[in-house]
């Protein structure tokens, strides 16, 4: 029975290896590989999101002083998962494997990443689910590539397509997710991976379709920003100036992360001690400033719709940056893109308080774009993703702010594996 099953499987792969006969169109068998990768990525993202929402809802009921032991226990459990099941790594490991390991992302790390990130994100850590999804769907692309007996550039392209499918499912921007999966690899040489843009785009579209079907997602902006009205060419200057402010806080964020990284690495403690310590600190911050809890998906709307004082916004800005830095450096798992958008929103509202005549939406979106482009070196995809999330259809001001953050970013990348020196080695 097993021999017959194996024979059928071999015949199927042999059929996939052959070009589609009598096909007058551009698409070939590779199209179906990209589509399958996207469908599988969308299913994974949809199921992950459903579990995350239910787990978050369960842990959210622990309010007040109970948030401290809740986040401490969640941190301890996440650390124990990493210690006993295996370290899934972080975003720099994904970038490193795509660039220098022939595009191979190991699926063996997925159980650890899924479990640890669920504890970290659902309990209220200041990291989002985008990085876990990118790793899991990217490694799924690698697995499917090996299953289809792909090698070299084709295997790497399918891994990138898997990454794009995970990122797109969360942000709902197929083009932005596709570009992000290329830009995040190397900010100066994204063209090296341009062969993967169509595979990534196809996988992203199918992933978004599947994700939308699973969680009943509609089309439209995620955050409730007021409509932006173009007032003249000076808006581009304003976007650049707001971008400079966003970039400044991008630098501050990077230095704060470096400080906490040195603090957590001062002594070699087991990972679960670090995650426990991080959970206690995050719980204390969340107890005094509940708005800093979670990664910001819903909290951005709370900021926009709330009538908060300037003093309160400044306090939230400071402690949100601290919360993200502690989450990143204490071993908690997740992505920092949406939390940085939260910081950008807070900055935009502070600017509006200081200069009431400023268009709030332009200030918020510009700060969001600049701080993210400064930290991740992804100006193109940031522009498109923000346009989708905010409904800000005037891309040009966002481009000005994104490029400001990109060109004024520190010479040494925040994501170490983006460094050009590694490529030279």
């Amino acid at each position: 029975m097993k021999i017959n099953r194996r024979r059928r499987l071999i015949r199927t792969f042999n059929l996939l290896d052959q070009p589609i006969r009598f096909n007058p169109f551009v698409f070939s068998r590779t199209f179906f590989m990209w589509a399958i990768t996207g469908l599988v990525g969308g299913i994974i993202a949809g199921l992950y999101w459903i579990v995350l929402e239910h787990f978050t809802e369960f842990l959210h009921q622990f309010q007040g002083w109970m948030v401290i032991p809740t986040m401490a226990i969640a941190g301890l459990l996440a650390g124990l998962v990493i210690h006993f099941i295996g370290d899934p790594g972080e975003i720099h490991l994904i970038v490193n494997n795509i660039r220098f390991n022939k595009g191979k992302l190991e699926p063996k790390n997925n159980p650890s990443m899924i479990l640890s990130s669920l504890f970290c994100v659902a309990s209220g850590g200041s990291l989002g689910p985008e990085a876990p999804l990118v790793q899991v769907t990217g490694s799924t692309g690698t697995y499917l590539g090996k299953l289809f007996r792909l090698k070299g550039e084709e295997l790497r392209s399918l891994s990138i397509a898997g990454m794009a499918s995970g990122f797109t499912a969360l942000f709902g921007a197929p083009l932005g997710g596709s570009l992000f999966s290329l830009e995040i690899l190397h900010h100066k040489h994204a063209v090296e991976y341009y062969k993967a843009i169509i595979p990534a785009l196809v996988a992203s579209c199918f992933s978004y379709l599947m994700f939308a079907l699973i969680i009943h997602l509609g089309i439209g902006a995620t955050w409730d920003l007021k409509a932006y009205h173009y007032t003249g060419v000076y808006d581009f200057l304003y976007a650049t100036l707001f971008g400079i402010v966003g970039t400044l806080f991008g630098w501050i964020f990077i230095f704060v992360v470096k400080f906490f990284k040195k603090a957590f690495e001062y002594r070699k403690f087991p990972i679960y001690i670090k995650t426990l310590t991080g959970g206690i600190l995050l719980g204390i911050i969340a107890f005094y400033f509940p708005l800093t809890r979670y990664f910001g998906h819903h909290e951005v709307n709370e900021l926009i719709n709330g009538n908060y004082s300037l003093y309160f916004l400044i306090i939230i800005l400071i402690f949100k940056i601290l919360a993200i830095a502690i989450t990143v450096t204490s071993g908690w798992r997740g992505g920092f893109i949406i939390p940085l958008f939260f910081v950008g929103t807070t900055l935009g509202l502070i600017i509006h308080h200081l200069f009431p005549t400023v268009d709030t939406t332009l200030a918020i979106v510009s700060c969001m774009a600049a701080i993210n482009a400064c930290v991740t070196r992804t100006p193109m995809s940031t522009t498109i993703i923000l346009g989708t999330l905010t409904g800000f259809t005037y891309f040009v001001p966002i481009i000005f702010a994104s490029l400001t953050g990109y060109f004024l970013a520190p010479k040494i990348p925040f994501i170490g594996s983006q460094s050009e020196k590694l490529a030279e080695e």
Side-chain angles (χ1 to χ4, degrees):
M1 191 69 181
K2 289 184 178 179
I3 294 174
N4 291 334
R5 194 181 304 159
R6 187 178 180 85
R7 285 175 179 172
R8 284 198 299 270
L9 192 63
I10 291 171
R11 282 199 299 270
T12 304
F13 287 150
N14 286 336
L15 185 64
L16 285 170
D17 280 338
Q18 298 172 6
I20 299 174
R21 296 177 182 178
F22 310 113
N23 174 28
F25 305 107
V26 171
F27 75 84
S28 61
R29 72 181 182 92
T30 51
F31 172 85
F32 295 102
M33 292 182 191
W34 306 335
I36 291 169
T37 301
L39 290 172
V40 174
I43 292 170
I44 291 171
L47 295 177
Y48 181 92
W49 186 260
I50 290 172
V51 174
L52 178 63
E53 280 196 322
H54 282 89
F55 197 24
T56 303
E57 189 177 343
F58 170 73
L59 293 179
H60 185 69
Q61 61 186 322
F62 298 102
Q63 299 288 335
W65 67 269
M66 284 295 293
V67 73
I68 300 174
T70 299
M71 296 190 72
I73 293 169
L76 176 62
L77 291 174
L80 290 172
V81 166
I82 295 169
H83 180 75
F84 288 107
I85 300 181
D87 189 350
E90 297 173 356
I91 188 67
H92 70 85
L93 181 62
I94 301 174
V95 174
N96 192 66
N97 285 341
I98 290 290
R99 293 183 65 200
F100 308 116
N101 193 28
K102 300 179 182 179
K104 296 175 184 177
L105 300 176
E106 293 297 333
K108 66 179 182 181
N109 296 323
N110 287 349
S112 177
M113 174 57 89
I114 291 171
L115 287 173
S116 61
S117 65
L118 282 173
F119 282 117
C120 295
V121 178
S123 63
S126 287
L127 289 179
E130 62 271 19
L133 281 180
V134 165
Q135 175 165 321
V136 174
T137 55
S139 61
T140 302
T142 300
Y143 174 77
L144 291 173
K146 290 179 179 178
L147 204 62
F148 292 132
R149 296 189 291 188
L150 300 181
K151 294 180 180 179
E153 197 61 42
E154 285 188 325
L155 178 61
R156 182 161 67 176
S157 292
L158 204 63
S159 299
I160 293 173
M163 290 170 58
S165 71
F167 197 80
T168 294
L170 182 64
F171 288 97
L175 182 57
S178 302
L179 284 174
F180 178 87
S181 64
L182 303 184
E183 279 191 298
I184 196 69
L185 298 177
H186 197 290
H187 56 287
K188 289 186 178 179
H189 301 291
V191 70
E192 293 178 11
Y193 312 98
Y194 186 73
K195 288 182 180 178
I197 188 65
I198 297 300
L201 190 57
V202 171
S204 292
C205 289
F206 279 93
S207 171
Y208 183 61
L209 175 65
M210 187 57 63
F211 185 74
L213 285 172
I214 292 173
I215 71 166
H216 307 291
L217 183 69
I219 295 178
T222 302
W223 297 317
D224 306 326
L225 290 172
K226 295 177 183 177
Y228 163 71
H229 299 287
Y230 175 71
T231 58
V233 72
Y234 287 107
D235 279 10
F236 304 139
L237 175 61
Y238 294 145
T240 303
L241 293 174
F242 301 149
I244 292 172
V245 176
T247 305
L248 172 63
F249 278 86
W251 277 74
I252 291 172
F253 167 74
I254 291 170
F255 280 112
V256 171
V257 168
K258 287 183 177 180
F259 171 79
F260 278 102
K261 188 175 182 180
K262 287 182 179 179
F264 278 105
E265 291 179 352
Y266 181 70
R267 292 283 182 87
K268 288 188 177 181
F269 291 108
I271 183 66
Y272 50 85
I273 299 297
K274 291 182 181 180
T275 52
L276 171 63
T277 306
I280 295 170
L281 294 174
L282 291 170
I284 293 171
I285 293 174
F287 170 68
Y288 287 103
F289 309 102
L291 200 56
T292 62
R293 193 181 180 190
Y294 300 108
F295 62 97
H297 184 71
H298 300 293
E299 289 71 26
V300 167
N301 276 333
E302 285 188 44
L303 270 180
I304 293 169
N305 298 321
N307 188 21
Y308 299 112
S309 67
L310 177 61
Y311 174 76
F312 179 82
L313 290 172
I314 292 172
I315 293 297
I316 290 297
L317 174 67
I318 293 169
F319 281 95
K320 186 62 177 180
I321 291 175
L322 290 174
I324 301 171
I326 292 169
T327 313
V328 168
T329 55
S330 63
W332 283 46
R333 293 297 185 260
F336 44 78
I337 293 172
I338 298 180
L340 287 177
F341 286 158
F342 180 94
V343 173
T345 303
T346 312
L347 272 175
L349 291 172
I350 289 173
I351 291 172
H352 178 69
H353 268 277
L354 295 174
F355 307 97
T357 57
V358 163
D359 187 289
T360 314
T361 299
L362 180 62
I364 289 174
V365 174
S366 298
C367 288
M368 280 180 163
I371 191 170
N372 189 66
C374 173
V375 175
T376 65
R377 311 293 179 94
T378 56
M380 292 186 292
S381 52
T382 293
T383 300
I384 297 170
I385 289 166
L386 275 177
T388 303
L389 291 175
T390 63
F392 196 100
T393 54
Y394 299 88
F395 279 172
V396 180
I398 311 179
I399 292 173
F400 272 73
S402 294
L403 289 177
T404 300
Y406 173 75
F407 284 112
L408 296 182
K411 192 171 183 179
I412 300 174
F414 176 73
I415 301 173
S417 48
Q418 286 180 333
S419 176
E420 200 159 8
K421 291 182 180 179
L422 288 174
E424 293 169 357
E425 292 173 4

